[in-house]
Amino acid sequence: QQQVKQSPQSLIVQKGGIPIINCAYENTAFDYFPWYQQFPGKGPALLIAIRPDVSEKKEGRFTISFNKSAKQFSLHIMDSQPGDSATYFCAASASGSARQLTFGSGTQLTVLP
Amino acid sequence: DAGVTQSPTHLIKTRGQHVTLRCSPISGHKSVSWYQQVLGQGPQFIFQYYEKEERGRGNFPDRFSARQFPNYSSELNVNALLLGDSALYLCASSLVLGGAVYGYTFGSGTRLTVV
């Protein structure tokens, strides 16, 4: 019940395309859903995060859509650029003193020039 | 401002040996968490510490231990290394407000290879 399932495993789009990465969860105690971007040799960096009281959040070219009833959330990258090529991870955590992150398995995105 | 600092960046150890990884959090951050990232997978939670106490522990064997020092830096120790311990070990620092952890900033990690 602690898992976060992420798809697809890999994604290739042309520059300007809109890649969409999906995640699903089972634990209804999760109340914080961040997305991380990771480049080779670096740690994950927070991109954008959402709480379940909203259905959508935009920050620049990144948008999270959240469907609480389906227990699903997704990341959309508008006007994707070659510099967006990286591995993207969804994650979830529940309130509490530790607030540990449970990560998805990652999506390797390639944006072709 | 310095980010999360981890040392060493790379390490090669032999099966059965012991390893110590170090992490310095962002100034003002009092919580440190450790994650293990096996190649091709998402990070997995190992430990969280703040105020020098363990606040959370993931599903890892007792060969894994950690501690936090008065200056909020932290060490992760792994005993009796196995080949399967080969991974990128990530440290993340967080603010603590009202007893709750806010935000994670990850370091670049320590790449451990066990041969």
Side-chain angles (χ1 to χ4, degrees):
Chain A
Q1 216 184 16
Q2 290 295 319
Q3 278 188 324
V4 176
K5 295 184 179 180
Q6 183 172 347
S7 63
Q9 188 175 3
S10 63
L11 192 52
I12 300 174
V13 300
Q14 295 287 339
K15 177 183 174 181
I18 306 176
I20 300 172
I21 305 170
N22 301 297
C23 285
Y25 65 96
E26 290 294 326
N27 187 351
T28 55
F30 286 150
D31 63 356
Y32 175 70
F33 301 90
W35 284 88
Y36 285 84
Q37 179 189 56
Q38 186 175 30
F39 293 103
K42 298 292 186 183
L46 179 66
L47 265 181
I48 184 173
I50 197 168
R51 295 190 183 275
D53 52 344
V54 297
S55 60
E56 185 175 279
K57 183 176 181 180
K58 293 182 181 180
E59 284 187 6
R61 295 184 294 109
F62 301 95
T63 299
I64 299 179
S65 298
F66 187 84
N67 186 328
K68 188 175 180 178
S69 60
K71 292 186 284 187
Q72 295 175 347
F73 58 110
S74 60
L75 176 69
H76 302 229
I77 306 176
M78 310 301 288
D79 187 28
S80 59
Q81 302 295 314
D84 295 330
S85 298
T87 301
Y88 292 80
F89 293 95
C90 62
S93 71
S95 60
S97 61
R99 218 179 233 297
Q100 67 195 61
L101 291 169
T102 300
F103 282 85
S105 54
T107 296
Q108 188 168 354
L109 172 66
T110 302
V111 181
L112 301 175
Chain B
D1 281 344
V4 178
T5 305
Q6 290 189 245
S7 63
T9 54
H10 296 84
L11 201 52
I12 299 174
K13 289 286 191 178
T14 303
R15 276 180 299 173
Q17 285 189 315
H18 163 91
V19 69
T20 298
L21 310 181
R22 295 177 174 83
C23 173
S24 293
I26 291 171
S27 177
H29 285 196
K30 298 182 178 180
S31 173
V32 170
S33 301
W34 288 95
Y35 286 76
Q36 181 197 63
Q37 186 177 19
V38 173
L39 195 63
Q41 297 182 18
Q44 279 200 292
F45 174 72
I46 309 175
F47 286 112
Q48 184 181 83
Y49 277 78
Y50 66 87
E51 298 298 348
K52 301 182 292 295
E53 290 187 15
E54 181 182 303
R55 304 291 181 162
R57 184 185 185 110
N59 188 23
F60 280 80
D62 291 344
R63 300 184 295 107
F64 289 77
S65 64
R67 54 179 176 168
Q68 186 177 35
F69 299 99
N71 66 354
Y72 304 109
S73 67
S74 177
E75 283 182 354
L76 175 70
N77 296 283
V78 187
N79 292 323
L81 285 167
L82 303 173
L83 294 178
D85 294 332
S86 296
L88 180 68
Y89 288 85
L90 295 162
C91 173
S93 77
S94 308
L95 284 167
V96 179
L97 297 171
V101 173
Y102 288 89
Y104 278 78
T105 302
F106 284 89
S108 292
T110 294
R111 172 70 64 188
L112 172 65
T113 302
V114 182
V115 297

